[in-house]
Amino acid sequence: MPVFRAPRKSERPERDGLSDRNGPITTPPLAFAAVILANVALAFGPLLVRMADTGPVASGFWRIALAAPVLALVASLGPARPRMPGQGQVGLWVLLLIGGVAFAGDLGTWHIGIEQTTMANATLFGNSATFIFPLYGFLVARAWPSRAQGVALILAAVGAGLLMGRSYQVDPRHLVGDLLCVLAGLLYAVYFILMSRVRVAMPPVPALAWSTVASIVPLLIFALMLGERIWPGHWGPLILLAVGSQIVGQGLMIYALGLLSPLVIGLALLVQPMVATAIGWIVYGETLALPDLVGVAMVAVALVLVRRGSTRRVAKTGDRNDE
């Protein structure tokens, strides 16, 4: 049986966050609120990884393993149950499988990097999809930004540069951790691109449930290969990680991914380093200076601009195959 009822051609532009063949569309307020809340929830992930008494990759495994049964249950109770893809949907299954593996790689490298750099750097570099995913939108999906969104992208780039530039100059020993987080960000962008294609036709909860299940085994193998401690002595941080980051954070993110443009999704990711900077300052005493505050302010202005400039024109020609 099929996983979902494939949308008719007339329905797709209404729910596709990548392109609209009928001209200008606007950013749904509920989806924008969802992506902001998602990033606030995800920003607490690095803190919980540091609090866990397992290895960093093992904490990623438990984040996924504890969340998967809950997501599967919620999906099974909905109208679009996460059944195995049927005939003619092999491509969809491949996207979900590769997306899950990419997400496992993202979590594994990011969690290792979290313990070797600052909270702000880990979150900022780990979300380098901020700029990679919009590039995908411009070059592949041809979702062009409005003038206000273009200005927002420039402000966000400068603000992000201020946030990471001063921190790196203070302690170059963060280089290895920073590079691991950059790799995680690249894999996160791959995950976003694949899941954005899945979300063209599949509802958010089944999409997240399948991709979450596909991440379990790669993360467990990764943790075992590194010789990490797998079984925790304290479950609290891992349960919070599963609920806050995977169920709430990724749940809201996958929902928004089917409704917002790559540019809006990308810039919203910068909410995470803003929140993580505050967490690092409060919990770990990671000093904030004027460039950090200016960077945060610029990112905040960019988010306001990208929301106000939400009407955008995109390609009229086919950017996907109609199935």
Side-chain angles (χ1 to χ4, degrees), residues 22-270:
N22 297 329
I25 59 176
T26 57
T27 298
L30 184 60
F32 187 77
V35 78
I36 296 298
L37 291 175
N39 283 287
V40 171
L42 289 167
F44 287 87
L47 175 63
L48 295 170
V49 171
R50 289 185 176 184
M51 292 172 61
D53 58 1
T54 62
V57 178
S59 67
F61 162 74
W62 285 115
R63 163 180 165 169
I64 296 297
L66 293 174
V70 178
L71 292 170
L73 176 62
V74 173
S76 67
L77 296 176
R81 298 179 181 179
R83 301 185 180 94
M84 186 71 70
Q87 186 176 5
Q89 298 173 355
V90 175
L92 175 67
W93 181 243
V94 171
L95 290 177
L96 284 165
L97 181 61
I98 298 176
V101 173
F103 188 64
D106 160 52
L107 283 185
T109 53
W110 189 44
H111 283 195
I112 296 173
I114 283 170
E115 298 192 344
Q116 300 186 39
T117 187
T118 64
M119 288 279 291
N121 273 20
T123 311
L124 185 63
F125 286 116
N127 286 284
S128 53
T130 291
F131 302 106
I132 300 170
F133 192 48
L135 284 177
Y136 160 77
F138 301 154
L139 300 177
V140 178
R142 287 172 287 178
W144 307 112
S146 67
R147 181 178 301 177
Q149 289 179 329
V151 173
L153 185 59
I154 295 172
L155 280 174
V158 176
L162 288 173
L163 282 172
M164 67 183 178
R166 190 195 69 84
S167 180
Y168 175 71
Q169 291 171 7
V170 168
D171 192 352
R173 290 174 297 177
H174 295 154
L175 179 61
V176 173
D178 289 345
L179 290 177
L180 285 170
C181 291
V182 168
L183 176 58
L186 293 173
L187 292 169
Y188 200 27
V190 171
Y191 168 73
F192 271 176
I193 291 169
L194 294 172
M195 294 305 292
S196 69
R197 307 315 301 171
V198 171
R199 281 288 286 116
V200 168
M202 180 178 281
V205 178
L208 181 60
W210 275 121
S211 63
T212 298
V213 169
S215 301
I216 295 176
V217 173
L219 277 167
L220 180 58
I221 293 174
F222 194 3
L224 290 172
M225 288 176 61
L226 293 174
E228 291 187 356
R229 174 181 177 179
I230 305 296
W231 197 260
H234 302 284
W235 287 95
L238 297 174
I239 292 173
L240 290 174
L241 189 64
V243 174
S245 293
Q246 192 64 20
I247 297 175
V248 176
Q250 283 300 320
L252 291 173
M253 185 71 77
I254 295 298
Y255 164 75
L257 196 60
L259 298 171
L260 301 177
S261 73
L263 177 60
V264 176
I265 292 287
L267 292 191
L269 290 174
L270 288 174

